[in-house]
DNA sequence: TGCTTGACAGAAG
DNA sequence: CCTTCTGCCAAGC
């Protein structure tokens, strides 16, 4: 079992960002994945918040299907209501409480 | 340097 | 269900 350092070197930060963008780019239409899952797959399990930060502040991220990233409870990003519309257009179902039905739309990369 | 802020997660009330 | 708190870390100030 690998030991994960709590902080990233600049090189690791670069690799992390690239992994995040790669993974997000692979999310299929009509499916969603979570911040924590992406962070874990990128090799930094405790950096879920960094995934959100990366998608929000990395130039070019808008070109990726970043609207397909929600939190673990299926909640959409605060202050970005359009995200729900985009997902619904792809056929993603929302529950009564306004959360994505994760049990039927969660996607996990290989 | 020290405190505050998040596109998070999990637990508590 | 919703809000709030704690743990988490990089960024901003």
């Amino acid at each position: 079992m690998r030991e994960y350092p709590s902080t990233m070197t600049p090189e690791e930060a670069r690799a992390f960002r690239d992994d995040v963008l790669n993974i997000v780019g692979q999310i299929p239409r009509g499916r969603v994945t979570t911040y924590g899952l992406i962070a874990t797959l990128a090799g930094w399990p405790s950096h879920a918040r960094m995934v959100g930060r990366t998608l929000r502040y990395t130039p070019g991220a808008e070109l990726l299907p970043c609207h397909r990233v929600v939190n673990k409870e299926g909640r959409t990003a605060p202050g970005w209501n359009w995200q729900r519309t985009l997902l619904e257009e792809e056929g993603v179902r929302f529950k009564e409480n306004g959360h994505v039905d994760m049990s039927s739309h969660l996607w996990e990369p290989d």
Side-chain angles (χ1 to χ4, degrees), chain A residues 8-109:
Chain A
M8 291 189 258
T9 65
E11 302 76 58
E12 291 170 326
R14 213 159 38 239
F16 176 79
R17 191 190 62 241
D18 292 343
D19 286 347
V20 169
L21 300 179
N22 270 327
I23 294 170
V24 173
Q26 293 175 42
I27 309 175
R29 233 183 109 76
R31 309 293 300 283
V32 299
T33 193
T34 75
Y35 298 95
L37 187 51
I38 292 173
T40 299
L41 290 170
W44 297 85
S46 62
H47 290 56
R49 306 189 78 146
M50 288 293 88
V51 175
R53 172 186 287 292
T54 300
L55 295 180
R56 169 116 199 237
Y57 300 110
T58 300
E62 325 80 50
L63 305 177
L64 297 172
C66 50
H67 59 283
R68 297 177 187 148
V69 182
V70 296
N71 74 7
K72 206 171 186 185
E73 298 178 341
R75 261 177 15 195
T76 53
W80 185 25
N81 283 50
W82 197 37
Q83 178 177 18
R84 171 168 181 160
T85 306
L86 290 174
L87 289 174
E88 289 182 318
E89 285 175 357
E90 300 185 349
V92 173
R93 285 195 172 206
F94 281 71
K95 301 191 291 185
E96 284 306 315
N97 56 11
H99 294 187
V100 171
D101 182 356
M102 299 304 277
S103 61
S104 58
H105 295 106
L106 178 62
W107 172 79
E108 304 186 45

